[in-house]
mmCIF file with all atom_site columns, all heavy atoms in Angstrom:
data_model
loop_
_atom_site.group_PDB
_atom_site.id
_atom_site.type_symbol
_atom_site.label_atom_id
_atom_site.label_alt_id
_atom_site.label_comp_id
_atom_site.label_asym_id
_atom_site.label_entity_id
_atom_site.label_seq_id
_atom_site.pdbx_PDB_ins_code
_atom_site.Cartn_x
_atom_site.Cartn_y
_atom_site.Cartn_z
_atom_site.occupancy
_atom_site.B_iso_or_equiv
_atom_site.pdbx_formal_charge
_atom_site.auth_seq_id
_atom_site.auth_comp_id
_atom_site.auth_asym_id
_atom_site.auth_atom_id
_atom_site.pdbx_PDB_model_num
ATOM 1  N N   . GLU C 1 89 ? -23.228 32.423 0.040  1.00 93.00 ? 89 GLU C N   1
ATOM 2  C CA  . GLU C 1 89 ? -22.043 32.130 0.857  1.00 93.00 ? 89 GLU C CA  1
ATOM 3  C C   . GLU C 1 89 ? -21.804 30.626 0.960  1.00 93.00 ? 89 GLU C C   1
ATOM 4  O O   . GLU C 1 89 ? -20.665 30.169 0.922  1.00 93.00 ? 89 GLU C O   1
ATOM 5  C CB  . GLU C 1 89 ? -22.211 32.674 2.281  1.00 93.00 ? 89 GLU C CB  1
ATOM 6  C CG  . GLU C 1 89 ? -22.189 34.170 2.382  1.00 93.00 ? 89 GLU C CG  1
ATOM 7  C CD  . GLU C 1 89 ? -22.475 34.648 3.788  1.00 93.00 ? 89 GLU C CD  1
ATOM 8  O OE1 . GLU C 1 89 ? -23.503 34.235 4.375  1.00 93.00 ? 89 GLU C OE1 1
ATOM 9  O OE2 . GLU C 1 89 ? -21.660 35.439 4.304  1.00 93.00 ? 89 GLU C OE2 1
ATOM 10 N N   . MET C 1 90 ? -22.886 29.869 1.092  1.00 93.00 ? 90 MET C N   1
ATOM 11 C CA  . MET C 1 90 ? -22.737 28.415 1.186  1.00 93.00 ? 90 MET C CA  1
ATOM 12 C C   . MET C 1 90 ? -22.222 27.830 -0.126 1.00 93.00 ? 90 MET C C   1
ATOM 13 O O   . MET C 1 90 ? -21.439 26.886 -0.113 1.00 93.00 ? 90 MET C O   1
ATOM 14 C CB  . MET C 1 90 ? -24.060 27.764 1.588  1.00 93.00 ? 90 MET C CB  1
ATOM 15 C CG  . MET C 1 90 ? -24.406 27.985 3.044  1.00 93.00 ? 90 MET C CG  1
ATOM 16 S SD  . MET C 1 90 ? -23.228 27.239 4.195  1.00 93.00 ? 90 MET C SD  1
ATOM 17 C CE  . MET C 1 90 ? -23.823 25.574 4.232  1.00 93.00 ? 90 MET C CE  1
ATOM 18 N N   . VAL C 1 91 ? -22.671 28.383 -1.248 1.00 93.00 ? 91 VAL C N   1
ATOM 19 C CA  . VAL C 1 91 ? -22.162 27.911 -2.537 1.00 93.00 ? 91 VAL C CA  1
ATOM 20 C C   . VAL C 1 91 ? -20.666 28.205 -2.640 1.00 93.00 ? 91 VAL C C   1
ATOM 21 O O   . VAL C 1 91 ? -19.886 27.359 -3.078 1.00 93.00 ? 91 VAL C O   1
ATOM 22 C CB  . VAL C 1 91 ? -22.937 28.544 -3.720 1.00 93.00 ? 91 VAL C CB  1
ATOM 23 C CG1 . VAL C 1 91 ? -22.264 28.225 -5.049 1.00 93.00 ? 91 VAL C CG1 1
ATOM 24 C CG2 . VAL C 1 91 ? -24.377 28.061 -3.718 1.00 93.00 ? 91 VAL C CG2 1
ATOM 25 N N   . LEU C 1 92 ? -20.271 29.404 -2.200 1.00 94.00 ? 92 LEU C N   1
ATOM 26 C CA  . LEU C 1 92 ? -18.839 29.738 -2.223 1.00 94.00 ? 92 LEU C CA  1
ATOM 27 C C   . LEU C 1 92 ? -18.059 28.798 -1.315 1.00 94.00 ? 92 LEU C C   1
ATOM 28 O O   . LEU C 1 92 ? -16.968 28.339 -1.663 1.00 94.00 ? 92 LEU C O   1
ATOM 29 C CB  . LEU C 1 92 ? -18.622 31.195 -1.816 1.00 94.00 ? 92 LEU C CB  1
ATOM 30 C CG  . LEU C 1 92 ? -19.266 32.253 -2.723 1.00 94.00 ? 92 LEU C CG  1
ATOM 31 C CD1 . LEU C 1 92 ? -18.991 33.652 -2.171 1.00 94.00 ? 92 LEU C CD1 1
ATOM 32 C CD2 . LEU C 1 92 ? -18.801 32.133 -4.157 1.00 94.00 ? 92 LEU C CD2 1
ATOM 33 N N   . GLY C 1 93 ? -18.619 28.502 -0.134 1.00 95.00 ? 93 GLY C N   1
ATOM 34 C CA  . GLY C 1 93 ? -17.974 27.558 0.774  1.00 95.00 ? 93 GLY C CA  1
ATOM 35 C C   . GLY C 1 93 ? -17.888 26.164 0.178  1.00 95.00 ? 93 GLY C C   1
ATOM 36 O O   . GLY C 1 93 ? -16.864 25.483 0.285  1.00 95.00 ? 93 GLY C O   1
ATOM 37 N N   . ALA C 1 94 ? -18.971 25.736 -0.472 1.00 95.00 ? 94 ALA C N   1
ATOM 38 C CA  . ALA C 1 94 ? -18.970 24.419 -1.115 1.00 95.00 ? 94 ALA C CA  1
ATOM 39 C C   . ALA C 1 94 ? -17.947 24.376 -2.246 1.00 95.00 ? 94 ALA C C   1
ATOM 40 O O   . ALA C 1 94 ? -17.271 23.371 -2.458 1.00 95.00 ? 94 ALA C O   1
ATOM 41 C CB  . ALA C 1 94 ? -20.370 24.097 -1.649 1.00 95.00 ? 94 ALA C CB  1
ATOM 42 N N   . MET C 1 95 ? -17.818 25.490 -2.956 1.00 95.00 ? 95 MET C N   1
ATOM 43 C CA  . MET C 1 95 ? -16.843 25.548 -4.044 1.00 95.00 ? 95 MET C CA  1
ATOM 44 C C   . MET C 1 95 ? -15.422 25.420 -3.495 1.00 95.00 ? 95 MET C C   1
ATOM 45 O O   . MET C 1 95 ? -14.604 24.662 -4.029 1.00 95.00 ? 95 MET C O   1
ATOM 46 C CB  . MET C 1 95 ? -17.008 26.841 -4.822 1.00 95.00 ? 95 MET C CB  1
ATOM 47 C CG  . MET C 1 95 ? -16.186 26.912 -6.066 1.00 95.00 ? 95 MET C CG  1
ATOM 48 S SD  . MET C 1 95 ? -16.698 28.379 -6.980 1.00 95.00 ? 95 MET C SD  1
ATOM 49 C CE  . MET C 1 95 ? -15.446 28.412 -8.203 1.00 95.00 ? 95 MET C CE  1
ATOM 50 N N   . GLY C 1 96 ? -15.132 26.136 -2.409 1.00 95.00 ? 96 GLY C N   1
ATOM 51 C CA  . GLY C 1 96 ? -13.808 26.028 -1.787 1.00 95.00 ? 96 GLY C CA  1
ATOM 52 C C   . GLY C 1 96 ? -13.530 24.617 -1.292 1.00 95.00 ? 96 GLY C C   1
ATOM 53 O O   . GLY C 1 96 ? -12.442 24.073 -1.483 1.00 95.00 ? 96 GLY C O   1
ATOM 54 N N   . ALA C 1 97 ? -14.537 23.995 -0.673 1.00 95.00 ? 97 ALA C N   1
ATOM 55 C CA  . ALA C 1 97 ? -14.373 22.625 -0.173 1.00 95.00 ? 97 ALA C CA  1
ATOM 56 C C   . ALA C 1 97 ? -14.141 21.650 -1.324 1.00 95.00 ? 97 ALA C C   1
ATOM 57 O O   . ALA C 1 97 ? -13.287 20.755 -1.231 1.00 95.00 ? 97 ALA C O   1
ATOM 58 C CB  . ALA C 1 97 ? -15.607 22.216 0.636  1.00 95.00 ? 97 ALA C CB  1
ATOM 59 N N   . CYS C 1 98 ? -14.885 21.829 -2.411 1.00 95.00 ? 98 CYS C N   1
ATOM 60 C CA  . CYS C 1 98 ? -14.735 20.931 -3.551 1.00 95.00 ? 98 CYS C CA  1
ATOM 61 C C   . CYS C 1 98 ? -13.385 21.135 -4.245 1.00 95.00 ? 98 CYS C C   1
ATOM 62 O O   . CYS C 1 98 ? -12.760 20.169 -4.693 1.00 95.00 ? 98 CYS C O   1
ATOM 63 C CB  . CYS C 1 98 ? -15.900 21.129 -4.520 1.00 95.00 ? 98 CYS C CB  1
ATOM 64 S SG  . CYS C 1 98 ? -16.108 19.784 -5.702 1.00 95.00 ? 98 CYS C SG  1
#
Side-chain angles (χ1 to χ4, degrees):
E89 290 175 307
M90 286 297 277
V91 171
L92 298 179
M95 188 171 170
C98 197

